[in-house]
Structure formats: C-alpha cells, structure tokens
Amino acid sequence: MTGDESAAIDAFERLGLTSYEAKVFIALQQLGSGTARDVARTTDVPRSQVYSVAESLEERGLLAVQQASPIRYRPVSIEEAQTTLRNRFEREQERAFDYVEQVKRDSVEEETQEDIWTIRGRERVDDRVVDLVSNAEERILFGTRLPDLVTPALGEALESRAAENVAVTVVSRDEGVRDRLGSLEGVTAELPPTHREDDERSGRILIVDDDALLLSVVDDSGGETAIWSSGSLFASVLIQLIEASEEIR
C-alpha cells in the first residue's frame, strides 16, 4: 500500500467508513466493477469479508449490486459518492450539535434551580451584572466605590431599564461614579450609609427586584470574585437581611 493510498483510507475513515469499506470502495473504483474474488485480489480484504463490506457500502449508497452468478459490484460515481458522504457528514454534524445544544439548555435550566453561584474575573462579573440588570422589572439598586466597575454596557442597561419605568438607584461614595450614573435619564444617585465608609474591599453590590442579588469583592491585585443568585429563596432572604441591616444602622 502506498503512502497516498494509506492517507486516502485514513481520510475515508474520518468520513465514517471502516478501513475495509474504504479499501473495497477504492478497489472497485479501480476495477470499474467486479466480484468478491476480484476485490479480494486487489486488496488485502479477505474474500469472506468482501460480501458483508459490500452490503454495508450498498446501504450507504456507495455501490450497486448486480444479482448475477457470481454477484458483481459496481461503485457509484465519484461525484455521487462525494455528495452521499457530504450529506452524511452534515446529518451527523447536525445530530451531534443538536445533542450538545440540548445538553447546554438542560444545564442552563439546572443552573436556575441552584441557589448560589460563584464567578471570578472582572469581565465575567461585568457580563453577569449587565444580564441581571437587563432582566429587572421593578427596581435596581447598584453600588460600587470603584469607577472602573462602571462600564458603558452597565450604563446603557441601567438607562434602558429606567426608560421602562424600572426604579434605578445608584449608591457610591465616589463622586465620579455618582455623577456619571446619576446623569443618566431616570437614574438616581445617592451616598452610601456612613457606616460603610471604611469598606475598602467591596467591589459592587447589585439588587434586582426582590429576588436577584450579586455581591463582589476585589482583592489587592485587582482581581474580582462575586457570588450571585436569582429567583431563589437564598437571594430573597439575603436581600431582606441587607436592607434590614441598613435600616437598623
């Protein structure tokens, strides 16, 4: 077997054929048509195996069987074989990715049933904040002491929800943050309670409606870690505790 032939057989295997199927198909292309004996003489496929291999190729639409004595096999044209294998590949690809998409949907559905999630990294926290804000229906409370955590996407999301009559409040002791977000149409900016002035590790807090919450901390190197929960008893209870704590103090 030459290197080119070996490479071709490997390629056919990647397209879904077995090694024997690839060898019989190539042999019949060389012969034009032939019996099991002819094929066995041309390849290293045992004659006893040629019959079952040919039957499999017929089922794949890659050869035709002439009911003669002895039985003869004729391959389809190269163009027809290309179309057949391409269609098969596309069907298998679609089947595979349909399953992956279903698994992903199931995973998302399971995620919503969990109570609390942890995410790490500034960009991932940014994305989660915008996602939670975008789903607000009644109210949003957002707080941060760090101007870097106020992204354009966040500003757009806050202003968009405010335009839909969602009550949006921003809390920050940083004047720049208050000015920037407070200038958005429909957004109210306030100072935080005085007892929080010494809080240097907090990153941001987000409360959406009464059932979604995100809290983050920023470490000394600037890395951010957040916990968040939505649509859970955990989120509802923690929101109540946070707001009760603010009122008591």
Side-chain angles (χ1 to χ4, degrees), residues 2 4 7 14 23 30 32 39 41 72 84 90 94 103 106 109 115 120 122 142 150 162 168 198-199 208 235 240 243:
T2 66
D4 289 343
R14 289 192 290 273
K23 290 176 179 179
Q30 292 174 317
V39 173
R41 287 174 176 171
R72 296 186 66 83
T84 298
E90 291 174 353
E94 183 176 351
V103 169
D106 291 344
E109 290 171 1
D115 285 340
R120 294 179 175 84
R122 180 68 54 85
F142 175 79
V150 180
V168 181
D198 295 330
D199 185 2
V208 174
Q240 292 175 23
E243 295 186 334

Side-chain angles (χ1 to χ4, degrees), residues 20-33:
Y20 275 2
E21 287 172 342
K23 290 176 179 179
V24 169
F25 179 74
I26 292 172
L28 286 171
Q29 290 291 343
Q30 292 174 317
L31 294 169
S33 68

Side-chain angles (χ1 to χ4, degrees), residues 25-69:
F25 179 74
I26 292 172
L28 286 171
Q29 290 291 343
Q30 292 174 317
L31 294 169
S33 68
T35 65
R37 175 177 295 185
D38 297 331
V39 173
R41 287 174 176 171
T42 307
T43 71
D44 61 357
V45 179
R47 180 178 174 184
S48 60
Q49 295 291 320
V50 172
Y51 299 103
S52 60
V53 172
E55 182 178 348
S56 177
L57 288 171
E58 181 187 19
E59 291 175 355
R60 293 176 181 272
L62 295 176
L63 63 76
V65 178
Q66 181 182 2
Q67 297 300 329
S69 183

Side-chain angles (χ1 to χ4, degrees), residues 14 22 26 29 60 78 84 91-92 94 99 167 171-172 178 192 197 202 211 234 245:
R14 289 192 290 273
I26 292 172
Q29 290 291 343
R60 293 176 181 272
I78 292 177
T84 298
R91 287 195 302 271
E92 295 301 327
E94 183 176 351
Y99 175 75
V171 177
S172 179
R178 295 197 307 275
E197 290 182 355
S202 63
D211 64 356
F234 173 86
S245 174

Side-chain angles (χ1 to χ4, degrees), residues 145 173 191-202:
R145 63 183 178 83
R173 72 169 181 265
L191 282 167
T194 56
H195 66 269
R196 303 207 41 164
E197 290 182 355
D198 295 330
D199 185 2
E200 294 296 336
R201 292 184 61 83
S202 63

